[in-house]
């Protein structure tokens, strides 16, 4: 198995001044945890600022991360641009030795998250996926119970979330990468990777925002909104 030389985390953000700090702090903790391992790959975090009008850029400047800016207004295109910046910065490396992890600016990864990505890659995975948990403080007891009832361990093995995703760079390039879609670009990418024969692994849960007004037309916030509107017992 090819040893990973670099691990890049791509984080798209649109007007996330309030939630981005906790995201970047958690990634910093995960990077420190990974660095304790022998032969750990170097970690770089890239935040893609997409049509930001608040103070998100100032938050990024306060952290040791790279920043890419765009006005495309499309999460699929923003993720694609982030990976393109990874490709440019690793031009001298084999894409087989580069791993890209994806999360969202409103999400908080666990301490061992990057370790789990590296372990999955070492075991032969070319793409990993994992579940998310909406922040219980955003949901309320009734909606949280409904979420937990629908998203048990069996469901976790099937879900795809851009907030909890990773892939080897050569496998990503082989299927053409993220599509410039306003939502579900994560699902489309993983479907293409699996259809191409990529070996799939799993990583643990990432905490994400439970807000119901999101940055995409539907997406995760739209799903939570529909779930909240369902009659009790539906």
């Amino acid at each position: 198995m090819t040893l990973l030389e670099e691990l890049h985390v791509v984080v798209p953000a649109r007007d996330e001044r309030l939630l981005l700090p906790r995201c970047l702090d958690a990634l910093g903790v995960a990077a420190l945890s990974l660095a304790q391992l022998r032969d750990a790959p170097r970690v770089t975090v890239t935040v893609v600022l997409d049509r930001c009008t608040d103070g998100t850029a100032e938050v990024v400047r306060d952290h040791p991360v790279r920043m890419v800016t765009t006005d495309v207004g499309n999460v699929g295109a923003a993720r694609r641009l982030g990976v393109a910046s990874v490709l440019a910065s690793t031009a001298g490396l084999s894409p087989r030795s580069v791993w890209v992890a994806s999360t969202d600016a409103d999400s908080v990864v666990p301490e061992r998250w990057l370790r789990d990505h590296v372990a999955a890659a070492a075991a032969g995975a070319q793409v990993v996926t994992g579940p998310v948990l909406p922040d219980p403080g955003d949901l309320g007891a009734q909606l949280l119970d409904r979420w937990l009832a629908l998203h048990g361990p069996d469901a976790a093995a099937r879900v795809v979330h851009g907030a909890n995703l990773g892939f080897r760079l050569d496998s990503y390039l082989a299927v053409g990468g993220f599509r410039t879609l306003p939502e579900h670009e994560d699902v489309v990418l993983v479907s293409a990777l699996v259809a191409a024969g990529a070996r799939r692994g799993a990583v643990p849960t990432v905490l994400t925002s439970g807000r119901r007004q999101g940055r995409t037309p539907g997406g995760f916030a739209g799903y939570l909104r529909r779930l909240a509107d369902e009659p009790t017992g539906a």
Side-chain angles (χ1 to χ4, degrees):
M1 184 60 58
T2 302
L3 183 68
L4 293 180
E5 296 186 61
E6 295 195 12
L7 192 159
H8 290 255
V9 186
V10 173
V11 186
R14 184 189 297 186
D15 289 344
E16 293 287 8
R17 176 180 61 85
L18 297 179
L19 295 181
L20 184 58
R22 70 174 191 170
C23 169
L24 296 181
D25 289 344
L27 286 171
V29 170
L32 286 174
S33 177
L34 176 61
Q36 297 172 17
L37 299 182
R38 180 181 178 184
D39 296 325
R42 184 179 68 167
V43 176
T44 302
V45 177
T46 298
V47 181
V48 183
L49 276 66
D50 183 13
R51 199 173 287 178
C52 289
T53 59
D54 65 350
T56 303
E58 284 68 32
V59 172
V60 176
R61 294 189 186 102
D62 287 340
H63 290 80
V65 302
R66 298 174 61 214
M67 180 169 61
V68 175
T69 59
T70 181
D71 193 41
V72 69
N74 179 289
V75 67
R79 290 196 202 276
R80 185 179 181 91
L81 181 60
V83 182
S85 74
V86 171
L87 185 61
S89 69
T90 59
L93 301 177
S94 166
R96 286 178 57 87
S97 70
V98 179
W99 187 267
V100 180
S102 167
T103 192
D104 287 338
D106 65 346
S107 301
V108 180
V109 305
E111 180 179 351
R112 293 182 59 88
W113 191 64
L114 295 179
R115 284 194 181 207
D116 292 328
H117 280 253
V118 170
Q126 295 160 281
V127 56
V128 297
T129 58
V132 298
L133 174 67
D135 191 331
D138 295 336
L139 297 189
Q142 184 175 11
L143 182 54
L144 178 60
D145 288 345
R146 184 172 293 180
W147 166 271
L148 293 174
L150 292 172
H151 299 84
D154 292 340
R158 301 190 301 270
V159 297
V160 175
H161 296 283
N164 196 5
L165 176 63
F167 45 82
R168 213 170 64 191
L169 185 56
D170 64 322
S171 300
Y172 171 89
L173 295 173
V175 299
F178 282 115
R179 307 300 193 262
T180 55
L181 300 172
E183 56 192 40
H184 307 315
E185 75 294 336
D186 44 6
V187 176
V188 172
L189 174 66
V190 172
S191 295
L193 285 165
V194 172
R199 184 175 175 184
R200 184 171 174 178
V203 287
T205 302
V206 164
L207 182 73
T208 195
S209 169
R211 63 190 174 197
R212 278 161 262 172
Q213 296 298 324
R215 305 296 193 257
T216 63
F220 189 67
Y223 171 70
L224 288 179
R225 192 165 58 248
R226 292 190 299 273
L227 196 62
D229 290 342
E230 286 182 0
T232 302

